[in-house]
């Protein structure tokens, strides 16, 4: 059963301006530890890839926060929500701390899609609640 749907589009130029204005502090506020390491590596090789990486993570976290109906308020925080990749390249949400507990207590599961183009990053998120188990029925009498 669908619990919530969230979508977000992010102007990459706005993220670039925030980085120019606030430096690494902006990325450190938005990215979890694993994401921060990937962002630094990408930024060192090709700064524009780093900006787009940060924009996609920003967009994905916004979409996720909308799908769970919380926005950016506790227990949802930028750093407690991480966007990782499966070996196939599929993006996944990895949660930490109180947000992970909150999410698991509700039996929720997330599906995420992330994309970027030169000026925009966009994300779409569907959060599902596992259907309750059907009651066991007695076997038919012969």
């Amino acid at each position: 059963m669908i619990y919530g749907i969230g979508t977000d589009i992010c102007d990459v130029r706005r993220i670039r301006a925030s980085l120019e204005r606030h430096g690494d502090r902006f990325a450190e506020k938005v990215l979890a530890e694993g994401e921060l390491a990937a962002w630094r590596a990408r930024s060192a090789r090709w700064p524009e890839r780093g900006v787009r990486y940060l924009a996609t993570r920003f967009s994905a976290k916004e979409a996720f926060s909308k799908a769970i109906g919380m926005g950016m308020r506790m227990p949802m925080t930028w750093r407690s929500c991480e966007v990782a990749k499966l070996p196939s390249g599929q993006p996944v949400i990895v949660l930490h701390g109180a947000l992970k507990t909150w999410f698991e207590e509700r039996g929720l599961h997330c599906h995420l899609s992330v994309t970027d183009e030169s000026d925009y990053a966009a994300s779409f998120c569907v959060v599902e609640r596992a259907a309750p188990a059907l009651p066991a029925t007695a076997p038919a009498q012969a």
Side-chain angles (χ1 to χ4, degrees):
M1 172 172 75
I2 293 179
Y3 181 85
I5 298 171
T7 188
D8 187 75
I9 186 165
C10 176
D11 190 329
V12 174
R13 296 165 293 192
R14 193 178 110 213
I15 298 298
R16 187 179 303 108
S18 292
L19 280 169
E20 289 168 0
R21 192 169 43 255
H22 303 290
D24 286 5
R25 284 191 341 254
F26 178 69
E28 290 164 355
K29 175 184 174 184
V30 172
L31 301 175
E33 288 304 314
E35 294 168 319
L36 203 50
W39 173 73
R40 286 187 172 126
R42 286 177 186 224
S43 295
R45 283 193 311 265
W46 185 27
E48 188 56 27
R49 277 189 75 203
V51 172
R52 289 206 309 266
Y53 178 86
L54 180 55
T56 58
R57 273 46 190 179
F58 186 96
S59 174
K61 293 174 187 201
E62 283 282 340
F64 176 77
S65 74
K66 294 171 186 175
I68 61 174
M70 215 173 257
M72 286 297 170
R73 62 181 171 82
M74 294 301 283
M76 176 65 198
T77 66
W78 292 108
R79 293 176 54 85
S80 64
C81 177
E82 182 174 1
V83 181
K85 288 191 312 184
L86 296 177
S88 65
Q90 177 184 354
V92 294
I93 294 286
V94 178
L95 302 175
H96 306 284
L99 181 59
K100 179 179 181 177
T101 302
W102 180 91
F103 195 77
E104 289 174 351
E105 284 174 348
R106 285 155 181 78
L108 301 177
H109 178 74
C110 177
H111 304 276
L112 179 66
S113 179
V114 178
T115 189
D116 69 280
E117 202 44 61
S118 56
D119 290 337
Y120 297 98
S123 299
F124 187 76
C125 181
V126 175
V127 173
E128 292 181 304
R129 177 181 284 149
L134 296 175
T137 58
Q141 297 292 325

